Amino acid sequence: MEYMQAPTTSSQGNILCCTCGIPIPPNPANMCVSCLRTTVDISEGIPKQVSVHFCKQCERYLQPPASWVQCALESRELLALCLKKLKGNMTKVRLIDAGFLWTEPHSKRIKLKVTIQKEVMNGAILQQVFVVEFVIQSQMCDDCHRIEAKDFWNSVVQVRQKTSHKKTFYYLEQLILKHKLHQNALNIKEIHEGIDFYYATKQHAQKMVDFLQCTVPCRSKTSQRLISHDIHSNTFNYKSTYSIEIVPVCKDNVVCLSPRLAQSLGNMGQVCVCVRVTSTIHLIDPNTLQIAEVDGGTYWRNPFHSLVSPRQLEEFIVMDIDLIRNQKLGAGAGLRSNKHTLAEVWVQKTSEMDTAQQYHCRTHLGHLLNIGDLVQGFDFANSNVNDEFLNKMNPSHVPDVVLIKKSYDRSKRVKRRNWKLKEMNKDREGMDTDDERQYQDFLEDLEEDEALRKNVNIFRDASKIPVESDTDEEGAPRISLMEMLEDLSLSDATGGEGADMMTE
């Protein structure tokens, strides 16, 4: 037998609704919920359809009065943005709950289910649920307007390098792409001896200047021009110009240092080879393997220039080579390179093979050269070089030939190259036909210099057959697959162009 305990409180009686007459529990309005809702609409004054402005270029929503915010669909940020649109009309009701209702992503509609409460008729609290539809209207934001116009700019960064080769610019372009500093630029224009970056705000231009000063040896100047002036509010509108001058020295340049600078760098020889340009200039003495780094400040206090352009390099063939072991440096000498090997070589120009003329020199390429190899170098013995420091040097200290780098078959290297680089979208003006050759030189430098490509994003070329090897058949250096990134594209998601995924 089950025992039922009697209730301790008495049951509450019902009353009749004053409108429809059905029994209901007592309430201050003496009306049922259905009659109360037909009599009082607590959502009155709250719009059921609201417009939301959306910029298709940058995918941001307008948050009145003038700010644009990034919001994903059905996110908390978008919910807050929609509720702020209703906030002015919901001052007399209490918001209980709000949530999204599913809509087609391309319908340009956002539906919000809102639950509110309000005290009506003698203190009765009525709760109501209704749907507000937000219509997405396209409107271009001010930033995208300026980008599309391509003429409106507040600041410009002019990067210049007074040299015949653009290796430093190619390296700088890859650094900018890696750190995504080109995204804020309104326009990028490539001109003779440099690149111009146009920005809408002075802060973005200053950020680019700070980045350049940290990545390449350079110096900067700033100027501004008054555009307009409001005498009532005392506000000025300026256009700022930042001029960046990169040191006129590139990789594989032969330079002649001043005696004072050579002594301060550890008594190294005045004739040096530039092996790399990063945030500093990396120099090596081909006679002693002594290395040194020259930063931008040191260079501008003791400037030096390239003695030879890439077009003046000649091709030599190695006739004999003798490695030099355990050479001792003099007192006060600086650091010595461990990646190079000192050697004495006899070379002959490939254009003078029918003669007996040979040249003797020391080189830092002993680890790469063998008898019969081709090498690029500069002939000091048969050239007229006009340089302030070189003309004052003792002729016995000037080498006959300075070897720069080993030469490989370029056509085979291009055919076997299974990687690629990304490029910035920029306007080109006054371009040289020599740019393709210079760009191939830069790609070969990346293959030969592991330290240089550490700061560069290298992508695998899907159109080439991948080969896991650091060198090819001729010994030319290559980039391994471990150092490459996958280049993502829209076609990767569908396994092709999209039609191949459909089945009958």
Side-chain angles (χ1 to χ4, degrees), residues 162-188:
K162 298 178 181 178
T163 180
S164 59
H165 207 288
K166 296 183 178 181
K167 285 184 179 180
T168 307
F169 275 114
Y170 292 133
Y171 173 69
L172 186 60
E173 178 184 15
Q174 297 303 316
L175 291 180
I176 293 173
L177 286 171
K178 182 176 182 178
H179 295 278
K180 299 180 180 179
L181 288 177
H182 64 294
Q183 294 180 345
N184 294 324
L186 300 179
N187 189 24
I188 302 175

PDB file of all heavy atoms in Angstrom, residues 162-188:
ATOM      1  N   LYS A 162      70.908  53.044 -55.159  1.00  0.00           N
ATOM      2  CA  LYS A 162      71.630  53.503 -56.334  1.00  0.00           C
ATOM      3  C   LYS A 162      72.643  52.444 -56.760  1.00  0.00           C
ATOM      4  O   LYS A 162      73.848  52.549 -56.531  1.00  0.00           O
ATOM      5  CB  LYS A 162      72.326  54.830 -56.045  1.00  0.00           C
ATOM      6  CG  LYS A 162      71.342  55.947 -55.699  1.00  0.00           C
ATOM      7  CD  LYS A 162      72.050  57.236 -55.365  1.00  0.00           C
ATOM      8  CE  LYS A 162      71.042  58.329 -55.008  1.00  0.00           C
ATOM      9  NZ  LYS A 162      71.712  59.601 -54.633  1.00  0.00           N
ATOM     10  N   THR A 163      72.105  51.396 -57.383  1.00  0.00           N
ATOM     11  CA  THR A 163      72.953  50.314 -57.867  1.00  0.00           C
ATOM     12  C   THR A 163      72.318  49.725 -59.120  1.00  0.00           C
ATOM     13  O   THR A 163      71.114  49.907 -59.368  1.00  0.00           O
ATOM     14  CB  THR A 163      73.126  49.224 -56.792  1.00  0.00           C
ATOM     15  OG1 THR A 163      73.964  48.185 -57.295  1.00  0.00           O
ATOM     16  CG2 THR A 163      71.787  48.642 -56.403  1.00  0.00           C
ATOM     17  N   SER A 164      73.119  49.030 -59.899  1.00  0.00           N
ATOM     18  CA  SER A 164      72.618  48.479 -61.161  1.00  0.00           C
ATOM     19  C   SER A 164      71.909  47.148 -60.976  1.00  0.00           C
ATOM     20  O   SER A 164      71.252  46.673 -61.895  1.00  0.00           O
ATOM     21  CB  SER A 164      73.786  48.296 -62.141  1.00  0.00           C
ATOM     22  OG  SER A 164      74.772  47.429 -61.591  1.00  0.00           O
ATOM     23  N   HIS A 165      72.045  46.538 -59.810  1.00  0.00           N
ATOM     24  CA  HIS A 165      71.425  45.243 -59.573  1.00  0.00           C
ATOM     25  C   HIS A 165      70.356  45.357 -58.501  1.00  0.00           C
ATOM     26  O   HIS A 165      70.455  46.193 -57.598  1.00  0.00           O
ATOM     27  CB  HIS A 165      72.475  44.217 -59.144  1.00  0.00           C
ATOM     28  CG  HIS A 165      72.083  42.808 -59.489  1.00  0.00           C
ATOM     29  ND1 HIS A 165      71.078  42.130 -58.825  1.00  0.00           N
ATOM     30  CD2 HIS A 165      72.544  41.955 -60.431  1.00  0.00           C
ATOM     31  CE1 HIS A 165      70.953  40.923 -59.340  1.00  0.00           C
ATOM     32  NE2 HIS A 165      71.827  40.780 -60.315  1.00  0.00           N
ATOM     33  N   LYS A 166      69.322  44.523 -58.596  1.00  0.00           N
ATOM     34  CA  LYS A 166      68.172  44.609 -57.693  1.00  0.00           C
ATOM     35  C   LYS A 166      68.083  43.425 -56.738  1.00  0.00           C
ATOM     36  O   LYS A 166      67.002  43.085 -56.263  1.00  0.00           O
ATOM     37  CB  LYS A 166      66.877  44.693 -58.505  1.00  0.00           C
ATOM     38  CG  LYS A 166      66.774  45.942 -59.354  1.00  0.00           C
ATOM     39  CD  LYS A 166      65.451  45.997 -60.077  1.00  0.00           C
ATOM     40  CE  LYS A 166      65.324  47.279 -60.893  1.00  0.00           C
ATOM     41  NZ  LYS A 166      64.030  47.355 -61.595  1.00  0.00           N
ATOM     42  N   LYS A 167      69.205  42.788 -56.433  1.00  0.00           N
ATOM     43  CA  LYS A 167      69.158  41.639 -55.532  1.00  0.00           C
ATOM     44  C   LYS A 167      68.613  42.011 -54.168  1.00  0.00           C
ATOM     45  O   LYS A 167      67.828  41.262 -53.573  1.00  0.00           O
ATOM     46  CB  LYS A 167      70.561  41.044 -55.382  1.00  0.00           C
ATOM     47  CG  LYS A 167      71.035  40.248 -56.576  1.00  0.00           C
ATOM     48  CD  LYS A 167      72.376  39.617 -56.284  1.00  0.00           C
ATOM     49  CE  LYS A 167      72.853  38.784 -57.463  1.00  0.00           C
ATOM     50  NZ  LYS A 167      74.163  38.151 -57.193  1.00  0.00           N
ATOM     51  N   THR A 168      69.010  43.164 -53.653  1.00  0.00           N
ATOM     52  CA  THR A 168      68.534  43.590 -52.341  1.00  0.00           C
ATOM     53  C   THR A 168      67.039  43.848 -52.357  1.00  0.00           C
ATOM     54  O   THR A 168      66.326  43.537 -51.394  1.00  0.00           O
ATOM     55  CB  THR A 168      69.287  44.846 -51.880  1.00  0.00           C
ATOM     56  OG1 THR A 168      70.700  44.613 -51.959  1.00  0.00           O
ATOM     57  CG2 THR A 168      68.920  45.204 -50.446  1.00  0.00           C
ATOM     58  N   PHE A 169      66.510  44.399 -53.454  1.00  0.00           N
ATOM     59  CA  PHE A 169      65.077  44.654 -53.556  1.00  0.00           C
ATOM     60  C   PHE A 169      64.285  43.349 -53.620  1.00  0.00           C
ATOM     61  O   PHE A 169      63.207  43.246 -53.034  1.00  0.00           O
ATOM     62  CB  PHE A 169      64.771  45.508 -54.784  1.00  0.00           C
ATOM     63  CG  PHE A 169      64.925  46.971 -54.540  1.00  0.00           C
ATOM     64  CD1 PHE A 169      65.913  47.701 -55.175  1.00  0.00           C
ATOM     65  CD2 PHE A 169      64.098  47.634 -53.655  1.00  0.00           C
ATOM     66  CE1 PHE A 169      66.057  49.055 -54.945  1.00  0.00           C
ATOM     67  CE2 PHE A 169      64.229  48.983 -53.416  1.00  0.00           C
ATOM     68  CZ  PHE A 169      65.207  49.698 -54.064  1.00  0.00           C
ATOM     69  N   TYR A 170      64.806  42.352 -54.338  1.00  0.00           N
ATOM     70  CA  TYR A 170      64.117  41.064 -54.388  1.00  0.00           C
ATOM     71  C   TYR A 170      64.075  40.422 -53.007  1.00  0.00           C
ATOM     72  O   TYR A 170      63.066  39.819 -52.617  1.00  0.00           O
ATOM     73  CB  TYR A 170      64.813  40.140 -55.390  1.00  0.00           C
ATOM     74  CG  TYR A 170      64.678  40.577 -56.829  1.00  0.00           C
ATOM     75  CD1 TYR A 170      65.774  40.610 -57.686  1.00  0.00           C
ATOM     76  CD2 TYR A 170      63.443  40.967 -57.341  1.00  0.00           C
ATOM     77  CE1 TYR A 170      65.651  41.012 -59.011  1.00  0.00           C
ATOM     78  CE2 TYR A 170      63.312  41.369 -58.660  1.00  0.00           C
ATOM     79  CZ  TYR A 170      64.413  41.387 -59.487  1.00  0.00           C
ATOM     80  OH  TYR A 170      64.285  41.793 -60.793  1.00  0.00           O
ATOM     81  N   TYR A 171      65.167  40.521 -52.272  1.00  0.00           N
ATOM     82  CA  TYR A 171      65.199  39.973 -50.917  1.00  0.00           C
ATOM     83  C   TYR A 171      64.250  40.752 -50.009  1.00  0.00           C
ATOM     84  O   TYR A 171      63.523  40.165 -49.198  1.00  0.00           O
ATOM     85  CB  TYR A 171      66.637  40.041 -50.388  1.00  0.00           C
ATOM     86  CG  TYR A 171      66.788  39.665 -48.933  1.00  0.00           C
ATOM     87  CD1 TYR A 171      66.598  38.360 -48.503  1.00  0.00           C
ATOM     88  CD2 TYR A 171      67.122  40.627 -47.981  1.00  0.00           C
ATOM     89  CE1 TYR A 171      66.744  38.012 -47.174  1.00  0.00           C
ATOM     90  CE2 TYR A 171      67.266  40.292 -46.650  1.00  0.00           C
ATOM     91  CZ  TYR A 171      67.077  38.981 -46.253  1.00  0.00           C
ATOM     92  OH  TYR A 171      67.207  38.652 -44.933  1.00  0.00           O
ATOM     93  N   LEU A 172      64.230  42.067 -50.157  1.00  0.00           N
ATOM     94  CA  LEU A 172      63.351  42.899 -49.340  1.00  0.00           C
ATOM     95  C   LEU A 172      61.882  42.607 -49.650  1.00  0.00           C
ATOM     96  O   LEU A 172      61.031  42.606 -48.751  1.00  0.00           O
ATOM     97  CB  LEU A 172      63.669  44.374 -49.595  1.00  0.00           C
ATOM     98  CG  LEU A 172      62.953  45.409 -48.733  1.00  0.00           C
ATOM     99  CD1 LEU A 172      63.282  45.203 -47.269  1.00  0.00           C
ATOM    100  CD2 LEU A 172      63.341  46.817 -49.158  1.00  0.00           C
ATOM    101  N   GLU A 173      61.565  42.343 -50.910  1.00  0.00           N
ATOM    102  CA  GLU A 173      60.187  42.023 -51.283  1.00  0.00           C
ATOM    103  C   GLU A 173      59.708  40.752 -50.590  1.00  0.00           C
ATOM    104  O   GLU A 173      58.573  40.689 -50.101  1.00  0.00           O
ATOM    105  CB  GLU A 173      60.100  41.849 -52.804  1.00  0.00           C
ATOM    106  CG  GLU A 173      58.718  41.471 -53.298  1.00  0.00           C
ATOM    107  CD  GLU A 173      58.687  41.217 -54.793  1.00  0.00           C
ATOM    108  OE1 GLU A 173      59.775  41.057 -55.385  1.00  0.00           O
ATOM    109  OE2 GLU A 173      57.587  41.165 -55.365  1.00  0.00           O
ATOM    110  N   GLN A 174      60.568  39.750 -50.490  1.00  0.00           N
ATOM    111  CA  GLN A 174      60.189  38.507 -49.822  1.00  0.00           C
ATOM    112  C   GLN A 174      60.004  38.704 -48.327  1.00  0.00           C
ATOM    113  O   GLN A 174      59.118  38.098 -47.715  1.00  0.00           O
ATOM    114  CB  GLN A 174      61.248  37.429 -50.099  1.00  0.00           C
ATOM    115  CG  GLN A 174      61.379  37.046 -51.557  1.00  0.00           C
ATOM    116  CD  GLN A 174      60.064  36.574 -52.154  1.00  0.00           C
ATOM    117  OE1 GLN A 174      59.325  35.804 -51.540  1.00  0.00           O
ATOM    118  NE2 GLN A 174      59.754  37.053 -53.355  1.00  0.00           N
ATOM    119  N   LEU A 175      60.806  39.565 -47.711  1.00  0.00           N
ATOM    120  CA  LEU A 175      60.624  39.854 -46.290  1.00  0.00           C
ATOM    121  C   LEU A 175      59.295  40.565 -46.038  1.00  0.00           C
ATOM    122  O   LEU A 175      58.597  40.269 -45.066  1.00  0.00           O
ATOM    123  CB  LEU A 175      61.782  40.720 -45.776  1.00  0.00           C
ATOM    124  CG  LEU A 175      63.154  40.060 -45.689  1.00  0.00           C
ATOM    125  CD1 LEU A 175      64.171  41.069 -45.151  1.00  0.00           C
ATOM    126  CD2 LEU A 175      63.116  38.838 -44.781  1.00  0.00           C
ATOM    127  N   ILE A 176      58.936  41.495 -46.915  1.00  0.00           N
ATOM    128  CA  ILE A 176      57.674  42.220 -46.764  1.00  0.00           C
ATOM    129  C   ILE A 176      56.494  41.265 -46.923  1.00  0.00           C
ATOM    130  O   ILE A 176      55.510  41.334 -46.179  1.00  0.00           O
ATOM    131  CB  ILE A 176      57.604  43.377 -47.775  1.00  0.00           C
ATOM    132  CG1 ILE A 176      58.665  44.437 -47.439  1.00  0.00           C
ATOM    133  CG2 ILE A 176      56.218  44.010 -47.796  1.00  0.00           C
ATOM    134  CD1 ILE A 176      58.771  45.534 -48.474  1.00  0.00           C
ATOM    135  N   LEU A 177      56.585  40.343 -47.881  1.00  0.00           N
ATOM    136  CA  LEU A 177      55.511  39.363 -48.074  1.00  0.00           C
ATOM    137  C   LEU A 177      55.397  38.432 -46.875  1.00  0.00           C
ATOM    138  O   LEU A 177      54.282  38.074 -46.458  1.00  0.00           O
ATOM    139  CB  LEU A 177      55.772  38.554 -49.340  1.00  0.00           C
ATOM    140  CG  LEU A 177      55.518  39.265 -50.675  1.00  0.00           C
ATOM    141  CD1 LEU A 177      56.037  38.415 -51.827  1.00  0.00           C
ATOM    142  CD2 LEU A 177      54.038  39.550 -50.852  1.00  0.00           C
ATOM    143  N   LYS A 178      56.517  38.033 -46.307  1.00  0.00           N
ATOM    144  CA  LYS A 178      56.481  37.103 -45.174  1.00  0.00           C
ATOM    145  C   LYS A 178      55.830  37.738 -43.959  1.00  0.00           C
ATOM    146  O   LYS A 178      55.059  37.097 -43.246  1.00  0.00           O
ATOM    147  CB  LYS A 178      57.908  36.646 -44.842  1.00  0.00           C
ATOM    148  CG  LYS A 178      57.969  35.644 -43.710  1.00  0.00           C
ATOM    149  CD  LYS A 178      59.374  35.140 -43.490  1.00  0.00           C
ATOM    150  CE  LYS A 178      59.415  34.088 -42.381  1.00  0.00           C
ATOM    151  NZ  LYS A 178      60.778  33.542 -42.174  1.00  0.00           N
ATOM    152  N   HIS A 179      56.134  39.019 -43.717  1.00  0.00           N
ATOM    153  CA  HIS A 179      55.572  39.713 -42.547  1.00  0.00           C
ATOM    154  C   HIS A 179      54.271  40.447 -42.874  1.00  0.00           C
ATOM    155  O   HIS A 179      53.738  41.148 -42.013  1.00  0.00           O
ATOM    156  CB  HIS A 179      56.606  40.702 -41.993  1.00  0.00           C
ATOM    157  CG  HIS A 179      57.843  40.035 -41.457  1.00  0.00           C
ATOM    158  ND1 HIS A 179      57.915  39.500 -40.197  1.00  0.00           N
ATOM    159  CD2 HIS A 179      59.044  39.799 -42.027  1.00  0.00           C
ATOM    160  CE1 HIS A 179      59.114  38.981 -39.998  1.00  0.00           C
ATOM    161  NE2 HIS A 179      59.826  39.150 -41.092  1.00  0.00           N
ATOM    162  N   LYS A 180      53.783  40.329 -44.129  1.00  0.00           N
ATOM    163  CA  LYS A 180      52.487  40.867 -44.558  1.00  0.00           C
ATOM    164  C   LYS A 180      52.378  42.381 -44.320  1.00  0.00           C
ATOM    165  O   LYS A 180      51.326  42.890 -43.952  1.00  0.00           O
ATOM    166  CB  LYS A 180      51.345  40.158 -43.833  1.00  0.00           C
ATOM    167  CG  LYS A 180      51.307  38.653 -44.106  1.00  0.00           C
ATOM    168  CD  LYS A 180      50.161  37.985 -43.383  1.00  0.00           C
ATOM    169  CE  LYS A 180      50.140  36.490 -43.681  1.00  0.00           C
ATOM    170  NZ  LYS A 180      49.035  35.806 -42.962  1.00  0.00           N
ATOM    171  N   LEU A 181      53.476  43.087 -44.561  1.00  0.00           N
ATOM    172  CA  LEU A 181      53.451  44.546 -44.392  1.00  0.00           C
ATOM    173  C   LEU A 181      52.903  45.255 -45.622  1.00  0.00           C
ATOM    174  O   LEU A 181      52.707  46.466 -45.588  1.00  0.00           O
ATOM    175  CB  LEU A 181      54.861  45.063 -44.084  1.00  0.00           C
ATOM    176  CG  LEU A 181      55.395  44.730 -42.691  1.00  0.00           C
ATOM    177  CD1 LEU A 181      56.806  45.240 -42.541  1.00  0.00           C
ATOM    178  CD2 LEU A 181      54.514  45.336 -41.615  1.00  0.00           C
ATOM    179  N   HIS A 182      52.669  44.525 -46.706  1.00  0.00           N
ATOM    180  CA  HIS A 182      52.146  45.147 -47.925  1.00  0.00           C
ATOM    181  C   HIS A 182      50.629  45.272 -47.905  1.00  0.00           C
ATOM    182  O   HIS A 182      50.050  45.908 -48.785  1.00  0.00           O
ATOM    183  CB  HIS A 182      52.557  44.318 -49.132  1.00  0.00           C
ATOM    184  CG  HIS A 182      51.966  42.945 -49.152  1.00  0.00           C
ATOM    185  ND1 HIS A 182      52.304  41.988 -48.211  1.00  0.00           N
ATOM    186  CD2 HIS A 182      51.046  42.353 -49.953  1.00  0.00           C
ATOM    187  CE1 HIS A 182      51.628  40.885 -48.458  1.00  0.00           C
ATOM    188  NE2 HIS A 182      50.847  41.078 -49.506  1.00  0.00           N
ATOM    189  N   GLN A 183      49.956  44.677 -46.908  1.00  0.00           N
ATOM    190  CA  GLN A 183      48.503  44.655 -46.906  1.00  0.00           C
ATOM    191  C   GLN A 183      47.901  46.034 -46.633  1.00  0.00           C
ATOM    192  O   GLN A 183      46.798  46.332 -47.078  1.00  0.00           O
ATOM    193  CB  GLN A 183      48.000  43.647 -45.869  1.00  0.00           C
ATOM    194  CG  GLN A 183      48.345  42.211 -46.205  1.00  0.00           C
ATOM    195  CD  GLN A 183      47.844  41.229 -45.176  1.00  0.00           C
ATOM    196  OE1 GLN A 183      47.477  41.617 -44.071  1.00  0.00           O
ATOM    197  NE2 GLN A 183      47.825  39.948 -45.527  1.00  0.00           N
ATOM    198  N   ASN A 184      48.599  46.879 -45.889  1.00  0.00           N
ATOM    199  CA  ASN A 184      48.073  48.202 -45.551  1.00  0.00           C
ATOM    200  C   ASN A 184      48.356  49.240 -46.629  1.00  0.00           C
ATOM    201  O   ASN A 184      47.892  50.381 -46.521  1.00  0.00           O
ATOM    202  CB  ASN A 184      48.655  48.691 -44.226  1.00  0.00           C
ATOM    203  CG  ASN A 184      48.209  47.839 -43.049  1.00  0.00           C
ATOM    204  OD1 ASN A 184      47.074  47.364 -43.024  1.00  0.00           O
ATOM    205  ND2 ASN A 184      49.091  47.638 -42.080  1.00  0.00           N
ATOM    206  N   ALA A 185      49.105  48.876 -47.652  1.00  0.00           N
ATOM    207  CA  ALA A 185      49.480  49.840 -48.692  1.00  0.00           C
ATOM    208  C   ALA A 185      48.319  50.048 -49.663  1.00  0.00           C
ATOM    209  O   ALA A 185      47.682  49.092 -50.107  1.00  0.00           O
ATOM    210  CB  ALA A 185      50.714  49.361 -49.438  1.00  0.00           C
ATOM    211  N   LEU A 186      48.044  51.318 -49.978  1.00  0.00           N
ATOM    212  CA  LEU A 186      47.020  51.625 -50.973  1.00  0.00           C
ATOM    213  C   LEU A 186      47.494  51.257 -52.375  1.00  0.00           C
ATOM    214  O   LEU A 186      46.721  50.761 -53.193  1.00  0.00           O
ATOM    215  CB  LEU A 186      46.665  53.108 -50.930  1.00  0.00           C
ATOM    216  CG  LEU A 186      46.106  53.647 -49.608  1.00  0.00           C
ATOM    217  CD1 LEU A 186      45.839  55.130 -49.735  1.00  0.00           C
ATOM    218  CD2 LEU A 186      44.825  52.916 -49.242  1.00  0.00           C
ATOM    219  N   ASN A 187      48.770  51.503 -52.623  1.00  0.00           N
ATOM    220  CA  ASN A 187      49.327  51.214 -53.942  1.00  0.00           C
ATOM    221  C   ASN A 187      50.822  51.008 -53.800  1.00  0.00           C
ATOM    222  O   ASN A 187      51.463  51.612 -52.931  1.00  0.00           O
ATOM    223  CB  ASN A 187      49.032  52.366 -54.913  1.00  0.00           C
ATOM    224  CG  ASN A 187      49.390  52.010 -56.343  1.00  0.00           C
ATOM    225  OD1 ASN A 187      49.433  50.836 -56.698  1.00  0.00           O
ATOM    226  ND2 ASN A 187      49.650  53.008 -57.170  1.00  0.00           N
ATOM    227  N   ILE A 188      51.371  50.133 -54.631  1.00  0.00           N
ATOM    228  CA  ILE A 188      52.810  49.881 -54.662  1.00  0.00           C
ATOM    229  C   ILE A 188      53.276  50.105 -56.092  1.00  0.00           C
ATOM    230  O   ILE A 188      52.785  49.458 -57.018  1.00  0.00           O
ATOM    231  CB  ILE A 188      53.140  48.447 -54.210  1.00  0.00           C
ATOM    232  CG1 ILE A 188      52.602  48.196 -52.795  1.00  0.00           C
ATOM    233  CG2 ILE A 188      54.639  48.204 -54.251  1.00  0.00           C
ATOM    234  CD1 ILE A 188      52.768  46.764 -52.322  1.00  0.00           C
TER     235      ILE A 188
END
